[in-house]
Amino acid sequence: MSDPSNTLAWLDQPHTGETVTYRDCAGQSHKLPVRYPRVTAVTQAQGREIAPHLFWCSFALDGFHFCDRIDLYSIIEPGKQALLIDTGHYDLCGMTFLDDLLAQTGTPWETVDVFLTHLHDDHTGNVPYCLHQGARGLMRGACDPYDPRNVQAFLQETGAAAVQDTALDAFVAMLLGKDNPLYEALPTVREVDAGDSLDYGGYHLEVLETPGHTFEHRCLLEPERGILFAGDHIIVATPGVMQFQRDQQLLRRYLESLHMLRNSGLRTVYLSHHEALSSTDDIVRLIDRIATTYEKPLEKTRAIVAEQGPVTIYATAAASCRHLPGGLAGLANGMRSRRVATTFGYLEYLADTGWARRHTADDGALVYEKAN
């Protein structure tokens, strides 16, 4: 792992507005922007050893739109080395709980590695703090650096540009990595893919490529113990696979990986926003429940395409929102972007599985119709 100090300059960009201040291992002061000022957190578990060398921290959240808790896991060989699986976010759970976790095990920051299941900020927000305290480096799945042309392609291909709904671009840009150096090919960052493995504290962890919640999502599997560190791949939530580019086959790959995990004999799954699942039956039930949640929106999408096709992604999203006050246009920019991006995923799934066919209109929008 490369020396993180070689690439820390990106952590020290000036910020405007309210900030959080902390000191690094050399006593220098640093600032981070406040992202979620209305969120409050209550510690539910602080560095609890739930299995040999496996530690759990948990926080109940109030005022965070996306979830009501955050659960973080670490594998620590006291005094020797540690693997943090995601970092949390300073607005959601603070930062110093990480110092407390390492202090209670006598483990120096210089022996700490960080594995990021994906790049949403509730999982990566404390990365600057970790690096400034001396963590060795980061691991994450492969992803493309931010490119504004991808945002414009999304607007054009979904049909949003044709109806001049350019207000989506800021949210889409954020989710495609704008102003997030973790998407860049930094020496600090090591890409991990299926087939890679990690060994910490007697755990042999295999990296699983699990796109769906995000394109770069990765899980860690301990096959001998039947343990999965699931990140947000297995999550108790409404359907949320958002697709931003054509031909990613994101929903198909997501459902296929869920089916694989369902039949793999898992005994314990550690989730990021839910209590751990500690029986195969509970794991199978939750995976089945997640898969089932996609049946209704896919059937609704099929009906819209059958009735209105050829139809764009944006027009399909609008038709699916007719029951809402104000329809699609009445949704806030972020929620409207999500609705269009999830519709993109549904339509690509129908094309990937042969139910629909896709072509490109003269204005660059993707258009879908029933295949037969």
Side-chain angles (χ1 to χ4, degrees):
M1 195 74 73
S2 301
D3 180 0
S5 64
N6 293 334
T7 52
L8 284 179
W10 60 267
L11 301 177
D12 294 313
Q13 301 302 313
H15 302 293
T16 59
E18 188 178 357
T19 59
V20 172
T21 302
Y22 65 91
R23 294 188 179 277
D24 63 22
C25 56
Q28 296 297 310
S29 179
H30 304 274
K31 296 181 184 294
L32 292 171
V34 172
R35 290 289 303 276
Y36 306 106
R38 296 180 180 83
V39 175
T40 57
V42 175
T43 302
Q44 300 182 118
Q46 171 54 48
R48 187 179 304 171
E49 189 170 11
I50 55 178
H53 295 167
L54 177 58
F55 294 81
W56 171 49
C57 297
S58 181
F59 306 87
L61 306 179
D62 183 42
F64 188 53
H65 176 75
F66 301 104
C67 63
D68 58 10
R69 62 186 287 165
I70 186 166
D71 297 86
L72 298 163
Y73 297 92
S74 307
I75 298 174
I76 302 176
E77 299 175 59
K80 295 182 179 179
Q81 65 174 347
L83 177 69
L84 306 181
I85 303 172
D86 293 329
T87 69
H89 190 285
Y90 48 91
D91 280 342
L92 307 180
C93 50
M95 309 174 193
T96 57
F97 76 95
L98 294 166
D99 297 295
D100 296 340
L101 174 66
L102 296 174
Q104 79 181 61
T105 60
T107 307
W109 269 107
E110 292 76 15
T111 67
V112 172
D113 296 316
V114 178
F115 178 90
L116 301 173
T117 60
H118 62 295
L119 300 183
H120 286 170
D121 62 356
D122 54 324
H123 295 254
T124 66
N126 281 336
V127 162
Y129 186 77
C130 293
L131 293 179
H132 273 138
Q133 301 313 313
R136 289 188 294 203
L138 312 171
M139 291 171 273
R140 59 141 171 84
C143 60
D144 294 327
Y146 173 71
D147 186 336
R149 291 174 296 184
N150 291 334
V151 178
Q152 296 309 309
F154 174 85
L155 296 174
Q156 183 179 48
E157 292 180 345
T158 60
V163 296
Q164 299 183 341
D165 192 353
T166 57
L168 306 185
D169 60 358
F171 186 82
V172 173
M174 179 189 72
L175 291 180
L176 288 175
K178 184 180 181 182
D179 300 325
N180 188 340
L182 292 176
Y183 283 80
E184 304 292 333
L186 298 171
T188 308
V189 175
R190 169 189 162 194
E191 289 187 357
V192 290
D193 290 299
D196 291 337
S197 61
L198 315 172
D199 291 280
Y200 292 84
Y203 293 82
H204 178 73
L205 303 168
E206 298 180 356
V207 177
L208 301 182
E209 187 176 344
T210 50
H213 186 73
T214 65
F215 183 73
E216 79 285 351
H217 198 288
R218 301 290 186 266
C219 294
L220 291 174
L221 173 68
E222 218 294 358
E224 184 175 337
R225 294 177 171 89
I227 291 173
L228 181 73
F229 295 95
D232 282 354
H233 191 62
I234 298 176
I235 188 170
V236 182
T238 55
V241 172
M242 293 183 288
Q243 187 156 325
F244 296 99
Q245 294 176 283
R246 65 168 78 189
D247 299 324
Q248 291 182 322
Q249 301 177 328
L250 205 55
L251 183 52
R252 180 182 67 77
R253 296 168 69 192
Y254 175 65
L255 294 175
E256 287 176 353
S257 67
L258 284 182
H259 180 74
M260 178 274 293
L261 291 171
R262 182 194 188 280
N263 297 319
S264 63
L266 293 173
R267 298 192 291 276
T268 306
V269 173
Y270 295 110
L271 303 96
S272 295
H273 304 295
H274 193 275
E275 63 189 35
L277 303 177
S278 56
S279 78
T280 299
D281 287 345
D282 287 343
I283 294 165
V284 168
R285 275 194 292 269
L286 179 56
I287 290 176
D288 285 346
R289 173 183 162 190
I290 293 169
T292 298
T293 64
Y294 286 87
E295 294 176 359
K296 184 175 180 180
L298 282 170
E299 184 56 37
K300 187 173 184 178
T301 304
R302 288 188 191 96
I304 293 169
V305 173
E307 176 187 348
Q308 300 186 18
V311 64
T312 67
I313 297 163
Y314 195 92
T316 305
S320 73
C321 293
R322 284 179 298 195
H323 65 289
L324 300 175
L328 179 66
L331 296 177
N333 293 346
M335 295 305 296
R336 195 160 71 257
S337 303
R338 284 177 175 272
R339 183 60 70 104
V340 174
T342 54
T343 301
F344 198 168
Y346 298 148
L347 288 165
E348 286 287 281
Y349 177 84
L350 296 182
D352 292 338
T353 56
W355 186 92
R357 61 173 174 261
R358 184 192 78 192
H359 68 271
T360 304
D362 292 342
D363 64 358
L366 301 178
V367 178
Y368 300 79
E369 59 187 329
K370 190 174 180 181
N372 50 49

